[in-house]
Amino acid sequence: MDIQNTQSQMRKGVLEFCILSIIQQGEVYPSDIVEKMKLANLHILEGTLYPLLTRLKNAGLLNYRWVESISGPPRKYFVMTEEGKAAFEVLLKTWNEMTSAVNQLTQVTNPISTSEATAS
Amino acid sequence: MDIQNTQSQMRKGVLEFCILSIIQQGEVYPSDIVEKMKLANLHILEGTLYPLLTRLKNAGLLNYRWVESISGPPRKYFVMTEEGKAAFEVLLKTWNEMTSAVNQLTQVTNPISTSEATAS
DNA sequence: CACAATACATTGATTTACAATATATTATAT
DNA sequence: ATATAATATATTGTAAATCAATGTATTGTG
């Protein structure tokens, strides 16, 4: 167990969120996603991406259409479903709440003021 | 596969980071950690926490000392090693870089208002 | 001495990212 | 035509980690 492992875990946690976000911004095929993720320093491999896209498609969050390519086999271009857009909004809220909570937990200069810290 | 799964993944990714942060802020025993995580809406179970603390201890990031309790068996109070403090600084940097990247990727136009994050 | 409360710890199942490899399509060279 | 290279989708086997359930141990109380 080393730090790199923990860093890797951090990135894993947001993979689906980021990929949904990329697809929401416009139709893309898998290689586009790999490229955009790499630009954000969030590397993802094809062996990870294809099963993930299949899971999201089966869950009803994504759809795809075949598009002919001028230089190779046809590509699967992915788009968000309405359900996918709604799911992304929920995840965006979760992301903002979680980063806020983690920032409070990890970057406090004062002890956590738990005014509501009564028993469970 | 549903949204709750993805939300859960997000939280998993920052578990070790948050736990190191809690221990860095002061000696705690496992139940303290569970409680503090719950207050941050980042729930962790004992079956997850004990192996995780053992991993961090074996990796040289943590140490512990036994402390007698007035109402039950003795407790393991955990403290950071120097190596652990250094590792936490690295993870803090990773966290800030990653959140910045994800926020750019997801095109968050409004900064999170709850923290005074002016870092990096 | 039995029982409850507290605390540390392990086991088995499930999930999932990754590395390696497989399958399929198109264009180019010979 | 056929072989080869490039591009693209897809699967398999392995390893790591969380979780639910359960186990072990210590202390105090009736």
Side-chain angles (χ1 to χ4, degrees), chain B residues 41-99:
Chain B
N41 264 315
L42 297 159
H43 302 266
I44 187 171
L45 301 180
E46 292 188 333
T48 303
L49 183 57
Y50 282 100
L52 195 158
L53 290 170
T54 300
R55 286 203 306 275
L56 294 173
K57 199 267 182 184
N58 291 339
L61 307 187
L62 299 181
N63 256 321
Y64 65 80
R65 62 188 186 95
W66 288 101
V67 174
E68 300 293 322
S69 167
I70 54 164
S71 63
R75 300 165 175 175
K76 268 187 179 177
Y77 273 79
F78 285 85
V79 292
M80 298 283 277
T81 62
E82 288 305 314
E83 191 181 346
K85 290 177 188 172
F88 177 72
E89 291 305 314
V90 173
L91 289 177
L92 184 58
K93 187 157 177 280
T94 300
W95 167 253
N96 285 329
E97 287 172 355
M98 194 200 72
T99 52

Side-chain angles (χ1 to χ4, degrees), chain A residues 1 11 17-18 38-39 47 50 52 58 61-62 78 84 88-89 91 93 96 99 101 103-104 112 117-119:
Chain A
M1 214 233 60
R11 294 194 175 93
F17 174 53
C18 290
K38 191 186 294 178
L39 287 175
Y50 282 99
L52 196 158
N58 291 340
L61 307 187
L62 298 180
F78 285 86
F88 177 73
E89 290 305 315
L91 290 177
K93 188 158 178 277
N96 284 330
T99 52
N103 283 333
Q104 284 181 36
I112 305 169
T118 48

Side-chain angles (χ1 to χ4, degrees), chain B residues 20-29 36 77-80:
Chain B
L20 284 175
S21 174
I22 288 170
I23 295 171
Q24 172 145 307
Q25 291 169 38
E27 271 187 309
V28 285
Y29 79 108
K36 286 176 189 289
Y77 273 79
F78 285 85
V79 292
M80 298 283 277

Side-chain angles (χ1 to χ4, degrees), chain B residues 83-118:
Chain B
E83 191 181 346
K85 290 177 188 172
F88 177 72
E89 291 305 314
V90 173
L91 289 177
L92 184 58
K93 187 157 177 280
T94 300
W95 167 253
N96 285 329
E97 287 172 355
M98 194 200 72
T99 52
S100 173
V102 172
N103 284 333
Q104 281 181 36
L105 198 68
T106 56
Q107 291 193 346
V108 177
T109 52
N110 296 332
I112 302 165
S113 56
T114 51
S115 81
E116 318 170 14
T118 54

Side-chain angles (χ1 to χ4, degrees), chain A residues 27-45:
Chain A
E27 272 187 310
V28 285
Y29 79 108
S31 292
D32 288 333
I33 297 176
V34 170
E35 191 65 20
K36 286 175 189 289
M37 291 292 280
K38 191 186 294 178
L39 287 175
N41 265 314
L42 298 159
H43 302 266
I44 187 171
L45 301 181

